[in-house]
Amino acid sequence: MADAASGGPLTGVRVVELAGIGPGPFAAMLLADLGADVVRVDRPGGPGLYIDPRHDVTNRNKRSVRVDLKADGGAETVLDLVERADVLLEGYRPGVAERLGVGPGPCLGRNPRLVYGRMTGWGQDGPLAPAAGHDIGYIALTGALGLAGAADGPPYPPANLLGDYAGGSLYLVIGVLAALQHARATGTGQVVDAAIVDGTAHLTAMIHGMLAAGVWQDRRGGNLLDGGAPFYGVYATSDGGHMAVGALEPRFYAEFVRLLGIPEADAGRDDPAGWDRLRELIADRFRQRTRAEWREVFEGTDACVSPVLSLTEAPGHPHLAARGTFADDWGITQPAPAPRFSATPGSLRRPPAVPGAHTEEVARDWGVPRPEHPEHPERHEQKGTRP
């Protein structure tokens, strides 16, 4: 863990996060990990994520105040924070923030330098903008979901990593940081419309280029990177584990088949007509040993083969442990801040924020009026906070 005194490259940036679930909180966590002072505005009753808030890692490094935006004075309390902020993040359906009195109009009116980040699935406009949705639907519509899965089976969703977090959160953060740079250069803020469908579509740029060049087939399981090639896929081991193979380049492939024990005469890879036979040869070899045994064979070589680890196994892998890719703070094993900075490293400074725990602290530090009737959660749940 980084020293608590190192605040990260975004030290001094103030962020107001209007509480939600999924990609919005993750984006705010990333900004907080990098040193931003993120104040999460929680509503009475919570945002609807059914886990103990002390375990919600996406709320680490943040502080929380409770505000009822539907009550008299609720919007004004948020606008007081906005006046002192650099960034606001919200993930409501289009029009909701406006109805609550905290849309771009009043917020930018109060603070013209504000970067107003909006996180939605379908975007702020378009025929589907008012509709409900989730990651699986967003990535389905963009063609990304159709890339995953065997040729003779249905597509499978990669949890909600591809849409919510890669196509959503990360694009929101990129947009916010770009707009923040513009605001600091010009004094003018703006609205960032981060739609998961836009970001996920953007992620498929290389595939669209390959499709246009005629080197990608518009079907699942028939291409170099989607499991169609026998030297880029996943194989079962004798103990029910799996090994991931990515031996794309010829020299890496040569090392792969040598270590796997396939005779050179049988290891041809250039003729797709022979891929089915080659795939069975590879599968048969992997079925002869356990995952641990194959890991011993391949790890540290240029064969580009790795064991498929579970979420609980991954933190214990020697490489990830040596790099500190995961941390074990506040009784929670969790990914450490990323990416890494040589001069201003991010750090884990605060445990997941319990809703409403920092009302007085934020009022003092941000110089805003204290809400008249804030709700106070159990103070003991915030032990472990680092200054």
Side-chain angles (χ1 to χ4, degrees), residues 191-242:
V191 176
V192 177
D193 174 7
I196 295 172
V197 289
D198 295 346
T200 305
H202 196 263
L203 289 170
T204 66
M206 184 189 77
I207 305 298
H208 276 280
M210 296 173 73
L211 188 65
V215 296
W216 188 276
Q217 301 178 67
D218 195 17
R219 62 181 180 85
R220 188 167 55 259
N223 300 283
L224 190 65
L225 301 174
D226 65 356
F231 41 87
Y232 196 89
V234 178
Y235 292 91
T237 58
S238 65
D239 58 346
H242 293 86

Side-chain angles (χ1 to χ4, degrees), residues 164-211:
D164 279 355
Y165 298 134
S169 304
L170 296 185
Y171 277 85
L172 176 59
V173 169
I174 291 169
V176 162
L177 294 180
L180 185 60
Q181 168 68 17
H182 176 265
R184 291 188 165 180
T186 66
T188 303
Q190 60 183 303
V191 176
V192 177
D193 174 7
I196 295 172
V197 289
D198 295 346
T200 305
H202 196 263
L203 289 170
T204 66
M206 184 189 77
I207 305 298
H208 276 280
M210 296 173 73
L211 188 65

Side-chain angles (χ1 to χ4, degrees), residues 279-296:
R279 181 178 288 103
E280 186 50 44
L281 282 172
I282 294 172
D284 181 66
R285 287 294 298 158
F286 272 118
R287 284 193 293 262
Q288 295 176 25
R289 298 189 189 183
T290 67
R291 188 185 67 173
E293 289 171 332
W294 284 119
R295 174 178 164 180
E296 184 71 21

Side-chain angles (χ1 to χ4, degrees), residues 11-367:
T11 296
V13 173
R14 285 180 166 180
V15 179
V16 174
E17 175 198 355
L18 301 184
I21 60 174
F26 186 88
M29 181 204 75
L30 179 51
L31 297 175
D33 282 356
L34 299 181
D37 181 5
V38 176
V39 171
R40 177 179 169 97
V41 178
D42 281 291
R43 56 184 180 266
L49 185 60
Y50 302 114
I51 66 171
D52 186 325
R54 293 172 299 179
H55 295 154
D56 186 357
V57 171
T58 63
N59 283 327
R60 71 189 185 191
N61 284 338
K62 304 176 185 179
R63 297 188 285 182
S64 170
V65 299
R66 277 196 195 272
V67 177
D68 186 351
L69 279 167
K70 296 181 179 179
D72 290 343
E76 185 60 29
T77 297
V78 171
L79 292 174
D80 283 338
L81 291 168
V82 163
E83 186 174 342
R84 295 156 174 82
D86 300 288
V87 177
L88 178 141
L89 302 181
E90 64 94 357
Y92 300 140
R93 290 200 207 190
V96 172
E98 285 83 350
R99 292 197 297 273
L100 292 172
V102 291
C107 286
L108 286 164
R110 183 72 71 91
N111 180 358
R113 298 172 60 92
L114 182 74
V115 174
Y116 193 106
R118 316 198 81 166
M119 181 78 264
T120 59
W122 304 116
Q124 295 297 315
D125 53 43
L128 292 177
H134 284 293
D135 175 290
I136 192 169
Y138 309 139
I139 67 174
L141 209 65
T142 60
L145 177 60
L147 298 173
D152 57 354
Y156 60 83
N160 65 333
L161 301 179
L162 178 55
D164 279 355
Y165 298 134
S169 304
L170 296 185
Y171 277 85
L172 176 59
V173 169
I174 291 169
V176 162
L177 294 180
L180 185 60
Q181 168 68 17
H182 176 265
R184 291 188 165 180
T186 66
T188 303
Q190 60 183 303
V191 176
V192 177
D193 174 7
I196 295 172
V197 289
D198 295 346
T200 305
H202 196 263
L203 289 170
T204 66
M206 184 189 77
I207 305 298
H208 276 280
M210 296 173 73
L211 188 65
V215 296
W216 188 276
Q217 301 178 67
D218 195 17
R219 62 181 180 85
R220 188 167 55 259
N223 300 283
L224 190 65
L225 301 174
D226 65 356
F231 41 87
Y232 196 89
V234 178
Y235 292 91
T237 58
S238 65
D239 58 346
H242 293 86
M243 299 294 290
V245 177
L248 290 174
E249 293 80 1
R251 66 188 182 94
F252 299 152
Y253 178 74
E255 180 74 349
F256 164 61
V257 295
R258 183 183 71 81
L259 292 172
L260 190 64
I262 295 179
E264 187 173 349
D266 296 330
R269 54 167 273 170
D270 296 329
D271 181 8
W275 279 4
D276 287 343
R277 177 176 174 274
L278 179 57
R279 181 178 288 103
E280 186 50 44
L281 282 172
I282 294 172
D284 181 66
R285 287 294 298 158
F286 272 118
R287 284 193 293 262
Q288 295 176 25
R289 298 189 189 183
T290 67
R291 188 185 67 173
E293 289 171 332
W294 284 119
R295 174 178 164 180
E296 184 71 21
V297 169
F298 286 109
E299 197 147 272
T301 74
D302 279 352
C304 300
V305 178
S306 301
V308 178
L309 303 181
S310 71
L311 290 175
T312 54
E313 290 176 317
H317 188 278
H319 179 77
L320 303 183
R323 284 185 56 79
T325 300
F326 291 87
D328 192 2
D329 282 63
W330 314 298
I332 306 171
T333 300
Q334 57 195 286
R340 303 182 183 200
F341 298 83
S342 61
T344 56
S347 61
L348 298 182
R349 306 179 306 280
R350 293 177 175 269
V354 173
H358 308 97
T359 299
E360 295 178 2
E361 185 181 317
V362 170
R364 180 195 68 221
D365 292 350
W366 283 44

